[in-house]
Amino acid sequence: MRFNHPNVTREILRDVFSIPEYKTLTNDFKVCIFDGGIGSDHVLKNWVTEIIPDNVKNTHPSLLAHGSEVCSTYLFGPYHEEQPLLNEPYTNVDIVRVLSNSDSDPDLFDVLTRIEDILKKKEYKYVNLSLGPRLAIDDDDVHVWTSVIDRLLQDGHCFATVAIGNDGELDGDYARIQPPSDMVNCFAVGASDTRSSSWERAPYSCIGPGRSPGVVKPDGVIFGGSDKELFKVYSPLTHSIVGTQGTSYSAPYALRVAAGVDSITDFALTTSTVKALMVHHANKQGKEQNEVGWGLLPHSPESVVECLDDEAIVVYQGQLKKSEHLRIQIPVPEGIDCKWVHLKATFCFNAITDPEHPLHYTRSGLDIVFRANEDKISDGAEHADTKSFFSVGNLYNTEAELREDAHKWETCISRSQRFNKSTLLNPVFDVKYHAREKGGDSAKELEPLNYSLIVSIRAEGDNNTYNLVLQQNQTLQTVKITNRVRL
């Protein structure tokens, strides 16, 4: 079992701090953390409900410390010295005590069963796992933790953040991400070493690639502490600020942002849309994909839902039946005053999994074609000419994988490109849902696929872009934001 960074020396910090006043939170979704529990002697009872399964008979202070600090990270985020008042929570949270001091099974099947029993009830839209078997993934076999939880998440009812592990300093494949963060239907979170702009992957944070499909792992990184800048978190058990580090804290920090996006918006966002928004706003800053995935994740929900001055962000979410085609219009407005148009697109969906065939682990995928100009039609063609948008070379290294079209089975793909304004005329994405059964090329009836697409349209230098998009596309709905005023 993995916890926080195994060799870190925890520090109790004497900084002055205060907990925000409790306010009633009325979200229509529930959040759960699977961990070591929180105990009864703490001051977070208004925000936290602890659930203890019947077969968890005893605990240990280290388990309660870990669970309570993971829970605190979700509620408040990291502590800032210049801001003594902790950040306000976006939601309440349940914490399920899945760890017991008497668990002796090295494969942790008892822990997995407790998690499975809760997920089967489908009560939670957001969950966090800062635990799991401490071993690197193997391409040839799908670990039981991965296969069991992935299957429970494949219908898209739940967004799960999973810590990728803290063995990134080991040699070779021993540093790879750890189960169950290799799931295709989860959000695998690594750690960055600082909150400043000069961030790097934290040395202990495990690295990718993941299994194919799911090759981009972690999905992203967010601050998790390091020797040069500890992750300062409120400890409910000691009622103090402690300094620590580990992906155990970056995962609930990312969940705080994701659930916060849902909390401050008035639109019924699906879990794949929330994942797409997080990936869409990740910033890789030229760093290696295997180390940081899609990049540094946003640190606040507000930064996810805000546009740049010359930008409009459009959210598409819907459902596709097997072999169904969909044409998604990209509303590049007429009359924009610029030379260059920057388009960024992020597709995400939940996939049916098939753990019996690791090489063909998912049974559903998207075939995506970009058509930039409706007037450019080759002789004899029925539709406008296609143009490359998503570059598979950024995901796969070997020619064999490129030939196999493995990228079509990825559950998340993101890319940005710059176009001369004159080359774009009513651009569209043509999307087809294709499927396979038990590792083969054909499939019978599969469940409809829930997809999400985030498109950023940035007309470089034209600050009227957002208004033009809205005026020329009356079917688009604005997503209203709930203001959170802080004194």
Side-chain angles (χ1 to χ4, degrees):
M1 178 68 71
R2 63 177 188 266
F3 290 116
N4 50 317
H5 189 26
N7 300 319
V8 69
T9 300
R10 292 164 55 81
E11 299 181 15
I12 296 180
L13 308 170
R14 301 297 180 184
D15 294 299
V16 176
F17 71 94
S18 57
I19 296 175
E21 179 183 352
Y22 175 74
K23 297 177 182 177
T24 302
L25 301 170
T26 56
N27 297 302
D28 58 358
F29 59 85
K30 297 178 67 177
V31 182
C32 177
I33 290 173
F34 297 105
D35 216 284
I38 192 171
S40 57
D41 188 17
H42 62 87
V43 298
L44 305 181
K45 292 180 174 61
N46 287 329
W47 288 296
V48 180
T49 301
E50 184 175 19
I51 298 171
I52 305 176
D54 294 337
N55 59 352
V56 177
K57 302 299 183 183
N58 51 51
T59 186
H60 188 273
S62 64
L63 301 180
L64 293 177
H66 187 266
S68 62
E69 289 166 15
V70 167
C71 194
S72 174
T73 300
Y74 170 74
L75 290 174
F76 308 116
Y79 169 75
H80 298 261
E81 295 85 347
E82 68 277 8
Q83 184 179 296
L85 179 64
L86 297 176
N87 291 312
E88 291 187 2
Y90 290 99
T91 73
N92 294 340
V93 63
D94 293 348
I95 181 167
V96 179
R97 189 186 295 186
V98 296
L99 303 179
S100 171
N101 197 37
S102 60
D103 291 334
S104 58
D105 180 8
D107 293 315
L108 309 173
F109 287 134
D110 290 342
V111 179
L112 176 60
T113 300
R114 294 168 193 145
I115 295 171
E116 183 182 14
D117 290 343
I118 296 294
L119 289 178
K120 281 180 177 178
K121 299 176 182 178
K122 298 186 178 183
E123 295 179 354
Y124 297 101
K125 187 175 182 180
Y126 296 92
V127 302
N128 179 78
L129 288 163
S130 288
L131 46 81
R134 189 181 174 189
L135 56 96
I137 67 162
D138 183 4
D139 289 324
D140 296 331
D141 294 302
V142 180
H143 194 276
V144 63
W145 270 63
T146 298
S147 62
V148 168
I149 301 178
D150 224 353
R151 176 176 52 81
L152 295 171
L153 301 178
Q154 66 186 12
D155 63 358
H157 79 280
C158 181
F159 178 99
T161 51
V162 182
I164 63 172
N166 303 309
D167 286 334
E169 295 169 290
L170 298 182
D171 295 330
D173 285 346
Y174 293 108
R176 286 183 72 182
I177 61 171
Q178 300 175 347
S181 67
D182 57 326
M183 293 186 289
V184 295
N185 294 316
C186 81
F187 196 71
V189 183
S192 64
D193 62 348
T194 178
R195 287 176 291 187
S196 73
S197 59
S198 59
W199 64 276
E200 299 286 345
R201 174 184 67 90
Y204 58 81
S205 184
C206 285
I207 60 175
R211 189 180 292 102
S212 175
V215 70
V216 181
K217 292 290 180 179
D219 289 285
V221 297
I222 197 169
F223 180 56
S226 64
D227 289 340
K228 70 176 183 179
E229 185 179 346
L230 291 174
F231 189 97
K232 298 177 181 179
V233 62
Y234 169 68
S235 172
L237 297 191
T238 61
H239 193 56
S240 63
I241 302 296
V242 300
T244 185
Q245 55 184 295
T247 56
S248 285
Y249 306 100
S250 54
Y253 188 14
L255 187 68
R256 169 180 164 83
V257 177
V261 170
D262 208 339
S263 175
I264 67 174
T265 54
D266 68 345
F267 198 76
L269 300 175
T270 65
T271 57
S272 61
T273 297
V274 174
K275 179 179 179 178
L277 283 168
M278 295 287 284
V279 169
H280 194 78
H281 288 82
N283 188 349
K284 193 156 62 171
Q285 295 185 8
K287 294 177 172 58
E288 290 293 327
Q289 178 179 281
N290 286 344
E291 294 198 357
V292 303
W294 297 110
L296 183 68
L297 300 170
H299 285 70
S300 71
E302 289 78 9
S303 64
V304 175
V305 298
E306 291 175 352
C307 299
L308 299 175
D309 290 340
D310 56 358
E311 178 187 48
I313 300 175
V314 186
V315 177
Y316 301 87
Q317 59 183 30
Q319 195 174 78
L320 276 173
K321 296 180 180 178
K322 176 180 158 305
S323 299
E324 184 177 2
H325 290 77
L326 174 69
R327 173 158 288 180
I328 302 175
Q329 295 182 339
I330 304 172
V332 177
E334 298 178 2
I336 48 178
D337 183 17
C338 68
K339 178 180 180 182
W340 299 107
V341 177
H342 300 257
L343 296 181
K344 182 174 184 180
T346 303
F347 278 94
C348 283
F349 63 92
N350 287 76
I352 306 297
T353 59
D354 186 9
E356 295 180 5
H357 297 83
L359 295 179
H360 299 287
Y361 180 61
T362 60
R363 295 172 52 197
S364 48
L366 292 180
D367 192 358
I368 303 166
V369 173
F370 178 62
R371 305 184 194 276
N373 192 318
E374 67 177 2
D375 284 348
K376 288 192 174 183
I377 304 176
S378 299
D379 291 341
E382 184 178 351
H383 300 284
D385 294 346
T386 63
K387 183 176 177 62
S388 174
F389 195 94
F390 296 106
S391 174
V392 298
N394 291 335
L395 297 180
Y396 294 94
N397 296 320
T398 70
E399 186 64 27
E401 288 174 318
L402 292 175
R403 285 197 303 268
E404 291 174 0
D405 289 334
H407 65 284
K408 293 182 179 180
W409 304 99
E410 291 293 330
T411 58
C412 183
I413 191 167
S414 183
R415 178 94 193 279
S416 61
Q417 285 200 52
R418 187 181 74 165
F419 299 88
N420 190 301
K421 180 181 69 172
S422 62
T423 64
L424 294 174
L425 180 62
N426 296 328
V428 298
F429 281 114
D430 281 345
V431 183
K432 180 184 177 183
Y433 169 23
H434 59 111
R436 57 189 173 193
E437 185 174 15
K438 297 189 180 305
D441 295 324
S442 62
K444 298 177 182 178
E445 290 302 318
L446 285 180
E447 293 295 322
L449 181 146
N450 296 311
Y451 74 92
S452 297
L453 166 63
I454 313 298
V455 175
S456 293
I457 304 166
R458 179 173 164 246
E460 191 174 309
D462 187 346
N463 292 348
N464 199 34
T465 304
Y466 181 93
N467 290 331
L468 287 174
V469 170
L470 204 56
Q471 291 166 7
Q472 297 176 22
N473 298 272
Q474 299 297 320
T475 57
L476 293 180
Q477 303 176 47
T478 57
V479 178
K480 295 181 175 60
I481 308 301
T482 302
N483 291 323
R484 291 165 58 91
V485 179
R486 177 163 187 160
L487 301 181

